[in-house]
Amino acid sequence: MTISGDNSSNLIAIAKKTRLAALKLAVLSTEAKNQAIEAIAKALETGKNEILQANVADCQAAATQGIAKPLYKRLQLDEHKLRDAIAGVRDVAKLADPVGAVQIHRELDTGLILKRITCPLGVLGVIFEARPEAAIQIAALAIKSGNGVILKGGKEAIRSCEAIVKAIKQGLSQTAVNPDVVQLLTTREETIELLKLDKYVDLIIPRGSNSFVRFVQENTRIPVLGHADGICHLYIDKDADIDKAVTITIDAKIQYPAACNAIETLLVHGDIAATFLPKVAEALQAQNVELRGDERSREILQNITPVIEKDWETEYSDLILAIKIVDSLEEAIAHINDYGSKHTDAIVTEDAEAAKTFLALVNAAGVYHNCSTRFADGFRYGFGAEVGISTQQMPPRGPVGLEGLVTYKYQLTGDGHVVATYTGVNAKSFNHKDFV
């Protein structure tokens, strides 16, 4: 069901309906959930042409309205992207069920048994700009983890999202999962109302620009999972393999510059700067990357733009790269921890000890050695898909898949046990014996 308008009572009714459907989903078997996920995949394949046509219409409208280039890139949903998203849905079905796992099974005393068991969060509110395939990934993950989900796509992706959710609901209608577990909102007013539903929504997941995510974080009492910035770094150490470093730099910057895991700053050790920078600059400029450098790097690359302080803390999401020369691994780490957004940072080096130090001391959700930051992705990690990337210090952190969509509860079973037995002068002792 797609709703519109700013009637908060209507949105509350939708949230209640979603929660009720989610409660029934929470107790379904793994097999029933997997059947529902496969039904979604088939329905998306059947509705492929309608979805792609809707996306073309969205893209044409967005272009007419002068949408920013990075956002337009995220909005585009071609046949290959849709195919990959559907493959991701089926990968989710192959993953272990995160619900009902017994984390603790302990005898407190004879006949008094404690269990800690994973369970769904309840209802997710997912707000995203552009990137309509996010609706596909999130719906599959929500169902597998036993959660209801209220989706709010950006106005630029409204036709695409409506076509996608229509297919998802058609698929679910043939299964044990009530289609009401997936809802779609379409107006900005509904976004504001959604953020007020702390009684009915258990987690908000925003996906979009840093200003958008900050807005969500600052306007709700519901817990928020996400990241406001994707300021990723690549450090080329003095013991780096030059050819390897060039290849990794190119991929990390241009493979998909609008992504939050593309690098925005390149740090280069002074010992190899004169050799490395001309080679990487030639390759980057051949791909129309605008280079901005500190004073030392501009002595080597004399035709590049001077950086300003703001460049170190800017997520360009475009073909722009800031360059800084450093004199040590420690200086590189310090720069990253000062200016980074705790998303993903990488080192290129053949020195195992330097890599070990970098991985240990850089404060980020993802720390990489000799590979591109673009690997920071739930699908590439084998999560099937992701609901988003979290840069918060507390878990879940990094690409968030199924494990980030469940919590746990303690179940205690006794036989007339009372606390008084275990207090006072003749207090009985607990066994605290774990079952193997």
Side-chain angles (χ1 to χ4, degrees):
M1 176 178 182
T2 302
I3 71 172
S4 60
D6 57 359
N7 190 323
S8 60
S9 61
N10 188 32
L11 187 50
I12 289 172
I14 292 297
K16 286 181 176 179
K17 185 182 292 188
T18 309
R19 182 170 286 280
L20 183 61
L23 287 172
K24 296 177 180 178
L25 170 62
V27 296
L28 287 182
S29 67
T30 301
E31 182 181 7
K33 290 189 289 187
N34 286 343
Q35 288 172 349
I37 291 169
E38 176 58 27
I40 288 174
K42 289 180 178 176
L44 289 168
E45 288 173 335
T46 301
K48 179 183 72 171
N49 290 338
E50 182 180 347
I51 293 168
L52 295 177
Q53 288 169 7
N55 185 252
V56 168
D58 280 335
C59 289
Q60 289 173 343
T64 301
Q65 294 164 12
I67 189 174
K69 187 168 69 173
L71 200 59
Y72 183 84
K73 189 72 175 175
R74 295 188 186 113
L75 174 61
Q76 288 181 304
L77 179 65
D78 58 21
E79 190 166 348
H80 300 297
K81 266 191 184 179
L82 182 58
R83 179 199 62 204
D84 290 346
I86 294 170
V89 169
R90 290 194 164 105
D91 285 341
V92 169
K94 299 173 187 175
L95 298 173
D97 194 334
V99 177
V102 179
Q103 298 178 326
I104 294 175
H105 190 192
R106 179 173 298 157
E107 181 185 79
L108 305 187
D109 192 12
T110 303
L112 187 62
I113 308 300
L114 176 71
K115 289 183 179 180
R116 189 171 79 188
I117 299 180
T118 57
C119 60
L121 290 171
V123 175
L124 314 174
V126 185
I127 311 170
F128 52 98
E129 293 180 322
R131 211 177 303 241
E133 71 270 23
I136 298 172
Q137 300 169 346
I138 291 161
L141 290 169
I143 289 167
K144 183 76 175 206
S145 58
N147 292 293
V149 61
I150 301 174
L151 298 164
K152 171 59 180 73
K155 64 179 180 179
E156 67 283 343
I158 186 170
R159 300 173 187 82
S160 305
C161 290
E162 286 178 332
I164 286 167
V165 172
K166 176 184 174 183
I168 289 171
K169 285 180 171 290
Q170 286 175 340
L172 291 179
S173 68
Q174 310 299 317
T175 74
V177 176
N178 187 333
D180 284 342
V181 297
V182 180
Q183 304 286 353
L184 176 65
L185 311 182
T186 58
T187 69
R188 179 178 173 80
E189 291 75 20
E190 290 167 336
T191 301
I192 304 300
E193 292 301 322
L194 177 63
L195 297 179
K196 298 175 183 176
L197 297 183
D198 52 294
K199 186 176 179 180
Y200 306 102
V201 177
D202 300 282
L203 182 68
I204 294 288
I205 305 171
R207 295 180 63 164
S209 67
N210 54 4
S211 59
F212 166 73
V213 175
R214 287 191 191 281
F215 173 83
V216 171
Q217 292 170 332
E218 293 167 2
N219 287 276
T220 186
R221 291 184 294 182
I222 304 169
V224 176
L225 186 153
H227 70 281
D229 299 284
I231 303 172
C232 302
H233 298 76
L234 181 63
Y235 167 56
I236 312 302
D237 186 50
K238 63 184 177 65
D239 292 309
D241 178 300
I242 297 294
D243 291 338
K244 190 182 296 182
V246 170
T247 300
I248 292 171
T249 303
I250 296 301
D251 185 84
K253 184 65 230 180
I254 72 163
Q255 198 274 329
Y256 189 13
C260 59
N261 55 16
I263 60 169
E264 308 294 6
T265 298
L266 179 66
L267 302 173
V268 182
H269 195 288
D271 287 1
I272 65 163
T275 304
F276 171 72
L277 281 178
K279 289 186 177 182
V280 78
E282 182 182 5
L284 288 166
Q285 289 171 332
Q287 298 290 337
N288 299 313
V289 178
E290 177 190 336
L291 302 180
R292 301 178 182 180
D294 67 349
E295 185 176 350
R296 293 174 66 186
S297 62
R298 284 186 292 113
E299 290 174 0
I300 300 170
L301 306 174
Q302 298 177 2
N303 62 339
I304 67 173
T305 305
V307 295
I308 58 175
E309 180 68 18
K310 186 175 174 60
D311 284 310
W312 304 131
E313 53 193 26
T314 297
E315 181 181 12
Y316 302 113
S317 299
D318 203 351
L319 292 174
I320 304 171
L321 183 64
I323 301 173
K324 181 178 182 178
I325 293 178
V326 297
D327 290 320
S328 67
L329 170 65
E330 291 72 23
E331 186 182 348
I333 292 171
H335 180 96
I336 293 170
N337 287 341
D338 280 345
Y339 294 100
S341 59
K342 301 182 180 181
H343 192 298
T344 307
D345 302 291
I347 181 174
V348 179
T349 186
E350 300 305 304
D351 182 343
E353 282 303 311
K356 182 178 178 181
T357 299
F358 183 94
L359 299 182
L361 297 184
V362 168
N363 184 10
V367 284
Y368 293 1
H369 175 209
N370 283 352
C371 56
S372 170
T373 55
R374 288 282 292 122
F375 283 106
D377 176 82
F379 179 76
R380 295 181 182 117
Y381 280 10
F383 297 168
E386 66 182 38
V387 293
I389 291 181
S390 172
T391 56
Q392 63 189 15
Q393 208 71 7
M394 295 292 291
R397 203 176 187 204
V400 179
L402 292 173
E403 83 292 338
L405 300 180
V406 295
T407 183
Y408 54 78
K409 61 177 67 174
Y410 290 95
Q411 297 180 355
L412 187 62
T413 302
D415 186 17
H417 291 74
V418 294
V419 169
T421 307
Y422 304 91
T423 61
V425 178
N426 297 312
K428 189 177 182 184
S429 298
F430 290 104
N431 292 337
H432 290 158
K433 182 175 69 177
D434 288 328
F435 293 96
V436 178

